[in-house]
Amino acid sequence: MTVMMMRPLPRPVPLRQSVYDALIDLIVGGELRPGQHMVETDLARQLGVSRQPIREALHRMEAEGWVDLRPSQGAFVHVPTDSEVDDLLDVRALLEAETARLAARGPGPVQVARLREINREGQLAAGADDFGAAVAVDRLFHAEVAAIGGNSVLAELADIVGRRVQWYYRLVAPERVPDSWAEHDEVIAAIEENDVDRAESLARKHTERTRAAYHRHREA
């Protein structure tokens, strides 16, 4: 008797996850600013859901540091401290340096071409002063480098951290975007040439320049 191997059917994303993702996107995209009051009824109406999944998402987001829940006041978008940003960028520098190093070990021409294509998209967005699109493409670029590296666990961690960094990066995008794509070009060249040490060093410097831009923004 032949036993058929059945694959589980894909399941739709649970509503609470969709609501969570939508609220994160509103924060990362700048529609909800640091310190802004997140009114449950307004959010529910905006997303077309009841208040329950909104409330569930807000509790999860509080645990992850995206929002602050204040007794008798409600939810507010978290205002990151300088030390929080530095801690996150320390982790970002480690992850990005390692993903670039792994990517440089033996990328294929199609993979390198894809990096160049993404970088051109970012340059076009920056040239049009579309900083929202530029920030989104920046995250896509780093995700592609991680994918080329081939370590799925590292890529997942880099993506989680990258989403948070994208939030902070948006604050300094007008200053960083022009230089950012030139720095990406250098990383791509190092990856294409299989220069693992240079790729690692350039990726680390890339994050450090974002850190410096963020602190200049805060001081201003």
Side-chain angles (χ1 to χ4, degrees):
M1 179 179 176
T2 302
V3 179
M4 296 180 63
M5 299 300 293
M6 303 289 287
R7 292 185 178 181
L9 294 173
R11 297 178 181 273
V13 177
L15 179 60
R16 61 179 177 275
Q17 181 65 40
S18 296
V19 170
Y20 167 85
D21 289 334
L23 293 179
I24 295 293
D25 287 343
L26 288 173
I27 292 175
V28 171
E31 286 86 354
L32 291 172
R33 307 289 294 176
Q36 184 172 338
H37 189 197
M38 301 174 70
V39 182
E40 289 184 10
T41 52
D42 292 346
L43 294 172
R45 182 169 55 254
Q46 182 177 351
L47 298 180
V49 298
S50 69
R51 292 176 61 184
Q52 182 59 32
I54 297 290
R55 192 172 296 115
E56 292 175 356
L58 291 175
H59 280 285
R60 176 180 171 186
M61 292 166 70
E62 180 194 32
E64 296 175 357
W66 290 97
V67 304
D68 299 319
L69 297 181
R70 303 175 189 170
S72 304
Q73 296 183 52
F76 294 80
V77 180
H78 180 65
V79 179
T81 65
D82 287 347
S83 62
E84 287 173 346
V85 174
D86 280 329
D87 287 348
L88 187 72
L89 290 176
D90 284 343
V91 176
R92 166 79 162 193
L94 291 171
L95 293 174
E96 293 300 326
E98 182 62 11
T99 56
R101 186 187 72 81
L102 292 176
R105 292 184 306 175
V110 173
Q111 293 172 315
V112 173
R114 175 59 179 152
L115 287 177
R116 295 197 189 284
E117 178 186 355
I118 294 171
N119 216 37
R120 280 194 296 271
E121 292 176 8
Q123 289 168 335
L124 289 173
D129 290 336
D130 188 348
F131 298 116
V135 170
V137 177
D138 179 81
R139 184 182 175 201
L140 178 60
F141 175 85
H142 289 284
E144 189 68 21
V145 172
I148 294 171
N151 186 318
S152 60
V153 175
L154 183 62
E156 182 179 358
L157 291 173
D159 186 64
I160 292 171
V161 172
R163 194 175 197 185
R164 188 63 167 265
V165 170
Q166 187 181 2
W167 180 26
Y168 305 151
Y169 180 61
R170 185 179 178 85
L171 300 176
V172 298
E175 175 184 349
R176 277 292 289 146
V177 159
D179 293 334
S180 208
W181 304 107
E183 293 163 18
H184 286 174
D185 277 331
E186 293 180 336
V187 173
I188 294 170
I191 290 174
E192 186 175 29
E193 295 164 8
N194 304 133
D195 190 336
V196 294
D197 291 337
R198 180 167 170 75
E200 180 179 3
S201 175
L202 287 170
R204 188 181 297 276
K205 288 178 181 177
H206 181 65
T207 297
E208 291 305 323
R209 286 167 179 156
T210 296
R211 185 201 305 272
Y214 181 86
H215 285 300
R216 284 195 299 270
H217 173 81
R218 290 278 289 175
E219 290 169 3

